Amino acid sequence: MSEARNCYPGSLDPKKVAGKIIICVHNDPTVSRRIKKLVVEDAKARGLILIDEEEKGLPFDSGIFPFAEVGSVAGFKILKYINSTKNPTATILPTIEVPRFRPAPVVAYFSSRGPGELTGNILKPDIMAPGVAILGATIPRKDDGSAPIGKKISKFAIKSGTSMSCPHVTGAAAFIKSVHPGWSPSMIKSALMTTAIISNNIRKPLTNSSNDFASPHEMGVGEISPLKALNPGLVFETTIEDHLHFLCYYGYTEKNIRSMSNTKFYCPRNSYEELISDINYPSISISNLNRHQDAKTTVTRTVTNVGYPNSTYIATVQAPVGLAVNVFPKKIVFVEGLKKASFKVSFHGKEATKGYNFGAITWSDGLHAVRVVFAVNVE
Ligand SMILES: *[C@@H]1O[C@H](CO)[C@@H](O)[C@H](O)[C@H]1NC(C)=O
Ligand SMILES: *[C@@H]1O[C@H](CO)[C@@H](O)[C@H](O)[C@H]1NC(C)=O
């Protein structure tokens, strides 16, 4: 019974299924939509409606077999209708395009979530990019039944996944490099991160797939905006030394780091994991801020001016109630010949809510807004 409800292989009676539109629930992710579609198609059904809350927003290429997917609310209504009548009917209509879908973007349910497993002292994920229903080149597959009879197998497919958003970011990075050939990878990464979009196409903060505001542990600093990233104003350069320091703080021995990097690198005498927060990264994460001690945690960042040589930046802080965040200095004046400047950010969590607190520091010169997201775990 439950197997037939889920359209498991071998569970459908072709005598009952042939010629009908079949409804399946999708309670068990071990049997994919592709398999369920094949099971229903093999039993000579006319079409398939799948009820699945999570995957409903994730288009599925069912080839030429009529397929629709609905969430639990619509699914409940359909099942109620079926039980209310002796001869329930449904109509299969041609596919239509839904333009300007709202809200968008939304963090997909399958998108990986932070905090990072390796360390809570670097914010993860970094950033997000389109990854749902992406049309891309693919290896043509003979066996998936997607080509209409008499037509060639397509060299393109619609796919979803982090593997689809990664090429978007790669393309954006190449685009920025083509305009600024002298920029290092970390400058490009910083430019993408500090200029990311944080509101959607209905001018509201970005949400996740259950319609709650998305946290930096779901969306990182937001969604890439390649055009804005061409002109970030300031960038955070993460140097080779920063990366080697990371290894020291993380606990690698000097001997191993020297052999990996082929350098005569010395680790700082006092290396411990919390210092990872101090690496010159375009976001800030602090894995443990003790609210019972009166202590505060301070991190340092260094910015490089890539805008007009004579710019003045002012910092503004957006922080949750109870978390005291102070930036020093609050004003940075760049002049000809002075390209780099450092600032400190201190966090004091005595009055803060337990758990992760999120916010941002924005440096603005009237032309650029350089947004640095922070995540602070108050314990
Ligand atoms: C969306 O965010 C809310 C609030 O943080 C959380 O409870 C929920 O599980 C998230 N939804 C998904 C699909 O991750
Ligand atoms: C900055 O320099 C540019 C030209 O180099 C000049 O036109 C502009 O007035 C200067 N701005 C300020 C605020 O000094």
Side-chain angles (χ1 to χ4, degrees), residues 308-312 334 336:
Y308 293 118
N310 53 349
S311 316
T312 299
F334 290 98
E336 193 79 49

Side-chain angles (χ1 to χ4, degrees), residues 54 107-111 113 207-215 218 358:
E54 282 200 323
V107 182
Y109 80 89
F110 59 77
S111 193
R113 293 329 202 240
T207 53
N208 67 16
S209 56
S210 30
N211 218 13
D212 286 297
F213 292 138
S215 83
E218 299 184 285
F358 301 106

Side-chain angles (χ1 to χ4, degrees), residues 32-47:
S32 69
R33 299 189 284 189
R34 186 164 297 283
I35 301 284
K36 292 189 177 183
K37 180 221 124 181
L38 287 173
V39 168
V40 173
E41 201 175 7
D42 277 353
K44 300 277 182 292
R46 287 298 263 297

Side-chain angles (χ1 to χ4, degrees), residues 107-114 124-127 162 216-220:
V107 182
Y109 80 89
F110 59 77
S111 193
S112 54
R113 293 329 202 240
K124 292 286 159 181
D126 282 310
I127 200 159
T162 356
H217 279 156
E218 299 184 285
M219 63 171 180

